[in-house]
Amino acid sequence: MRMELINLEGGKGDFAHAYEPEQLDLGDERIKLGSPTSVVGKVRKVGTELVVSGRIETCVQVDCDRCLGPIQLPIGTDFSVEYITGSAYEESQTAELTDELMSVSVFDGDSIDIDEIVQEQILLSIPTRSLCRVDCKGFCEKCGADKNAGDCGCVEKEIDPRWAALKDLI
Ligand SMILES: [Zn+2]
Ligand SMILES: [Zn+2]
């Protein structure tokens, strides 16, 4: 979905959309979108600046870091993205670049790609590490069995070999 800036009345415009999972590309095959993703928001244009803000709600499926089992992760995130026009950005380049300007995006043209914002914001709200449950045991290092399913019977070495060598010295 694109917001045509020419359609903004008085520099304002609202949008709402629901995406089917296949309509968004998160660019990461380990992350699957679940239920329809909804976005509601508004665009405000003031001079050379444009602010797109709103809320995204969806559910994603990611792999558990330890056992690789699927985890359903509900996501609800508020966002606000600032844009400035290409020409305003170039002007700011000649001036000193402030932190504030580093975090804005540049837009050029007549429309803003809402899909791109939604994809980016979903990725930003997914934690870098996820566990299916706090005490997920993961796989056995020796036989590869899923230890959540039960004890595989392997005895895991508890002493680091380097310490074991030290112990012999005593
Ligand atoms: Zn797990
Ligand atoms: Zn084992």
Side-chain angles (χ1 to χ4, degrees):
M1 182 184 51
R2 301 191 72 93
M3 271 306 267
E4 299 299 329
L5 300 182
I6 200 151
N7 294 338
L8 294 182
E9 271 179 49
K12 297 177 181 177
D14 296 339
F15 59 88
H17 193 69
Y19 297 91
E20 289 304 320
E22 62 275 8
Q23 288 177 307
L24 290 170
D25 179 13
L26 295 180
D28 188 334
E29 55 192 21
R30 288 166 305 170
I31 305 169
K32 293 178 196 73
L33 276 166
S35 61
T37 299
S38 70
V39 60
V40 286
K42 55 189 183 183
V43 179
R44 296 287 179 268
K45 189 173 188 296
V46 183
T48 55
E49 279 182 56
L50 189 77
V51 179
V52 184
S53 58
R55 182 168 179 84
I56 297 165
E57 291 196 24
T58 187
C59 181
V60 295
Q61 183 183 306
V62 295
D63 297 338
C64 170
D65 273 353
R66 289 196 191 138
C67 72
L68 302 180
I71 309 173
Q72 306 294 335
L73 224 54
I75 285 181
T77 182
D78 295 312
F79 66 93
S80 177
V81 189
E82 286 176 42
Y83 292 87
I84 53 174
T85 58
S87 52
Y89 182 74
E90 269 160 39
E91 271 170 42
S92 74
Q93 289 288 295
T94 56
E96 229 168 286
L97 208 60
T98 65
D99 284 349
E100 202 186 333
L101 280 171
M102 300 278 282
S103 67
V104 303
S105 308
V106 177
F107 80 94
D108 255 322
D110 311 319
S111 62
I112 288 283
D113 191 347
I114 302 294
D115 303 356
E116 214 174 272
I117 298 176
V118 172
Q119 282 154 203
E120 203 177 280
Q121 295 298 319
I122 292 176
L123 286 173
L124 282 175
S125 43
I126 297 174
T128 45
R129 284 181 65 82
S130 335
L131 296 177
C132 60
R133 55 183 213 226
V134 234
D135 60 346
C136 173
K137 296 188 180 76
F139 296 112
C140 169
E141 282 174 33
K142 279 192 175 167
C143 72
D146 182 353
K147 292 199 287 181
N148 294 315
D151 194 1
C152 57
C154 296
V155 182
E156 288 191 53
K157 39 180 197 298
E158 279 164 17
I159 304 172
D160 186 302
R162 285 167 296 177
W163 292 110
L166 255 177
K167 214 177 75 187
D168 291 340
L169 289 173
I170 302 166

